[in-house]
Amino acid sequence: SPRIWLGAGYFSLGVAVLAKGPVSLVLVGLILIIFFTLRPETYSWRKLWLIPGGFLSLAVALPWYVLCFQANGWNFIREFFFQHNLARFATDRFQHSQPIWFFLFVIIIGFFPWTLQFGAAFLQDLKRLRRSEKRACNSDTLFFWLWVIVPLIFFSLSRSKLPGYILPIFPAIALLTAAYWED
């Protein structure tokens, strides 16, 4: 049932906010906004259950944030949100500076031995997009490419880079590669 999958997605978003902080919300939000801007006919915002889903995500993540705030006060807000989220993105305070293309090498090494197939999938979908072929323009393919591209660009612009930052894009890379193999 779609409701079960949506519930699982919102639950997972709550877990992601616990694991990685508010950047999870930013990335999911950016992907969805871009997707629905490019494909407004695909799915109704109402069918996404934003309010009940948002409450489910909050029910998963918020207790930890409340307990941390109660235990540490405004120090928690300052350290966690400003130092370990904003400063990590905007500065090299934690000395993890890498070139802008760093994550491309993470993908090449991290997706080995299927890196060449993923590259072929990328080139094939790019050619199809140029020719306006149906598979390159379908909603699933677009969503998976946004799932790869948005975090890749977002974290490439960050001053602090660690390989684990882009691990969540690997399922989408695997699905795109599998679709290439299926063709």
Side-chain angles (χ1 to χ4, degrees):
S1 157
R3 290 181 179 182
I4 291 172
W5 286 111
L6 277 172
Y10 284 113
F11 179 85
S12 298
L13 180 58
V15 172
V17 172
L18 278 175
K20 290 298 173 189
V23 71
S24 306
L25 291 172
V26 170
L27 291 173
V28 169
L30 282 172
I31 292 167
L32 289 176
I33 288 168
I34 294 168
F35 179 74
F36 286 116
T37 299
L38 296 173
R39 290 281 194 269
E41 74 286 352
T42 302
Y43 207 74
S44 167
W45 282 99
R46 288 181 301 165
K47 290 183 181 179
L48 285 180
W49 282 17
L50 290 174
I51 293 173
F55 281 124
L56 177 57
S57 295
L58 280 174
V60 172
L62 196 58
W64 181 82
Y65 286 94
V66 169
L67 290 172
C68 284
F69 180 75
Q70 286 176 339
N72 302 295
W74 289 104
N75 236 5
F76 167 69
I77 302 294
R78 188 172 35 261
E79 279 296 313
F80 182 73
F81 289 102
F82 294 107
Q83 297 303 322
H84 289 284
N85 281 274
L86 290 175
R88 191 173 297 272
F89 182 85
T91 70
D92 188 28
R93 176 176 178 235
F94 297 97
Q95 294 149 2
H96 296 296
S97 182
Q98 298 291 338
I100 197 162
W101 41 263
F102 172 73
F103 289 118
L104 293 176
F105 283 108
V106 172
I107 292 170
I108 290 168
I109 293 166
F111 202 60
F112 184 81
W114 303 282
T115 306
L116 291 177
Q117 288 87 356
F118 175 63
F122 174 75
L123 293 175
Q124 180 184 47
D125 282 347
L126 196 59
K127 286 178 189 174
R128 287 178 170 173
L129 186 62
R130 285 186 186 159
R131 291 182 279 183
S132 298
E133 287 183 27
K134 187 173 175 72
R135 186 199 173 287
C137 299
N138 78 36
S139 294
D140 292 343
T141 304
L142 174 64
F143 184 80
F144 293 137
W145 278 114
L146 289 173
W147 182 355
V148 172
I149 293 168
V150 169
L152 182 62
I153 291 172
F154 181 87
F155 287 117
S156 292
L157 295 174
S158 171
R159 294 281 313 271
S160 182
K161 296 176 181 72
L162 290 171
Y165 287 3
I166 62 160
L167 284 179
I169 73 173
F170 280 87
I173 291 172
L175 290 167
L176 289 164
T177 304
Y180 169 74
W181 285 344
E182 186 178 49
D183 282 350

